Amino acid sequence: MRRILGVFIALFMCCVPIGIQAEEEVLTFEYTGQKIEIDGAEGYFSTTGPLEDAPIDCGKYFADTGGGYVTFEINPKKVLVNVSYNKDWREGDSEENIYLCKFDGDYELKLRILPNGDFVSFDRYDGNIDFQFEPKNEKDVPVGKTKITHSDVEVVYYEDGYKIDSGRSDIEPILLKDAGEYIVSFDADSRYYESIPFKVTILPKTIELQLPNYQKYVGEKDPILETDDYILIREVGEEVGNYKLTAQSKSKNYIYEIVANDTFTILDSKQQSIRPEEKKDPLLSINPSNKDKNKYASAEDMESNKDIEAKVDKESQKTETKVVTGVSNLTSMYLLVMLCSIIVILYGLKLNC
């Protein structure tokens, strides 16, 4: 009995594979847009009836080879479509342009979003192309922003200021007017843009100064060393000698550089160092507009001094003349009195005799 049962089981195990191999074999092809032909086929049939030629579109077909039928099917071609957010989309633009599709091949499709957020396509391929979207749903698409970047800037100050443009018409440029260092970014709608900060350095403008000769005498006050734009600062000291001058700007937009006459001179006293015939014009103020005025004023003062000296000399001569004349008259009267006295004395002596 056991032997009979073993033989039965062995026969059953051998018959199972034979039965599987006896099932109908179906050939599978991918859609290519070209006819799918079977070797030795004399005719083709679809599930709805005979065909005039080998099939092109997707579906299940049969090929009559004369000795039997071959079953085959054409499946849609799978095309992977990467979906990304369109950073240039703005409110008011077409909803079809919110997302961008990237894929390999020359295909035409329009993205459609189902009520549940899944992506499907409008196309003209009648199911022959299977567009597979990644991600499959719009909630999984990261909403990116357009990055606005600009390289660091270093310029020299000029009066109209420095304008920096983002290159986009809907974003106002940055205008900086004063020298200094700035960390700036464009003022853009944060829903669509991410503005990356960058550094702007505006260097002061250098102005060259050619100064007149500044000097004074020991004990005098310094002349005015200041203008509306800068202050001249000299080294500390009040002894005879030369002192270095430096210029300090009153504005951070300018640097003043002395290129001529950068020393301040202190001279010895006027009485010891200058003879009358060597008198010079008074020291000039730093304000050039007073230069000629001072010159004219000094010339008038000199003429006035000359007139005063001439008047003093004339008055002295008159006084001396008066004094001399008085002395001369007094002497004559004295001699006359003495002479009369002698005559009287002699006349008296004569009478006594």
Side-chain angles (χ1 to χ4, degrees), residues 340-352:
C340 292
S341 298
I342 293 171
I343 293 173
V344 170
I345 292 170
L346 290 176
Y347 180 78
L349 291 175
K350 183 178 181 181
L351 290 176
N352 292 329

Side-chain angles (χ1 to χ4, degrees), residues 17-34:
I18 294 173
I20 293 174
Q21 291 177 1
E23 289 183 359
E24 181 182 15
E25 183 179 3
V26 179
L27 301 178
T28 302
F29 300 93
E30 185 181 72
Y31 173 80
T32 61
Q34 305 294 328

Side-chain angles (χ1 to χ4, degrees), residues 4-24:
I4 294 173
L5 182 60
V7 172
F8 178 76
I9 293 173
L11 290 173
F12 178 78
M13 295 297 293
C14 291
C15 290
V16 170
I18 294 173
I20 293 174
Q21 291 177 1
E23 289 183 359
E24 181 182 15

Side-chain angles (χ1 to χ4, degrees), residues 86-272:
N86 183 4
K87 297 177 182 179
D88 293 328
W89 184 85
R90 300 291 179 265
E91 292 183 7
D93 295 346
S94 172
E95 295 292 331
E96 296 178 355
N97 298 325
I98 296 179
Y99 299 102
L100 300 175
C101 296
K102 185 179 180 180
F103 47 83
D104 293 331
D106 185 16
Y107 301 103
E108 294 181 4
L109 68 89
K110 288 184 178 180
L111 198 64
R112 177 187 174 192
I113 303 173
L114 298 177
N116 64 355
D118 287 344
F119 294 120
V120 294
S121 68
F122 286 119
D123 58 64
R124 56 183 180 82
Y125 298 107
D126 299 325
N128 292 321
I129 303 296
D130 180 15
F131 292 105
Q132 298 184 331
F133 297 94
E134 183 59 37
K136 296 179 174 59
N137 192 285
E138 68 171 343
K139 66 179 176 57
D140 298 321
V141 179
V143 178
K145 298 179 181 181
T146 301
K147 287 187 177 181
I148 305 176
T149 61
H150 198 288
S151 57
D152 292 344
V153 177
E154 183 174 298
V155 294
V156 175
Y157 168 82
Y158 61 97
E159 286 69 15
D160 293 334
Y162 186 74
K163 183 183 290 186
I164 307 170
D165 198 348
S166 67
R168 295 180 176 271
S169 59
D170 56 337
I171 298 177
E172 290 293 328
I174 298 172
L175 179 61
L176 300 173
K177 292 201 170 184
D178 293 321
E181 290 188 355
Y182 305 86
I183 301 298
V184 298
S185 58
F186 292 98
D187 185 13
D189 191 333
S190 59
R191 292 174 297 175
Y192 308 115
Y193 295 108
E194 180 183 0
S195 184
I196 308 301
F198 58 98
K199 182 179 179 181
V200 178
T201 302
I202 300 180
L203 302 174
K205 184 177 181 179
T206 300
I207 305 295
E208 294 184 346
L209 294 178
Q210 296 187 1
L211 302 177
N213 293 320
Y214 290 107
Q215 59 186 17
K216 73 170 187 175
Y217 295 99
V218 172
E220 290 183 338
K221 291 184 179 180
D222 286 2
I224 297 175
L225 300 176
E226 181 176 355
T227 69
D228 293 338
D229 300 318
Y230 58 85
I231 301 173
L232 293 177
I233 301 173
R234 72 172 180 87
E235 293 177 321
V236 178
E238 293 298 332
E239 297 179 355
V240 174
N242 294 324
Y243 296 86
K244 185 74 173 179
L245 284 173
T246 56
Q248 178 180 320
S249 176
K250 292 185 177 180
S251 169
K252 64 181 179 179
N253 295 326
Y254 298 96
I255 293 177
Y256 292 91
E257 180 181 343
I258 302 174
V259 296
N261 300 329
D262 62 348
T263 57
F264 182 90
T265 303
I266 298 181
L267 303 174
D268 202 351
S269 62
K270 297 181 181 180
Q271 292 79 5
Q272 297 178 3

Side-chain angles (χ1 to χ4, degrees), residues 317-327:
Q317 290 176 4
K318 289 181 180 180
T319 303
E320 290 175 358
T321 303
K322 290 180 180 180
V323 171
V324 171
T325 304
V327 171

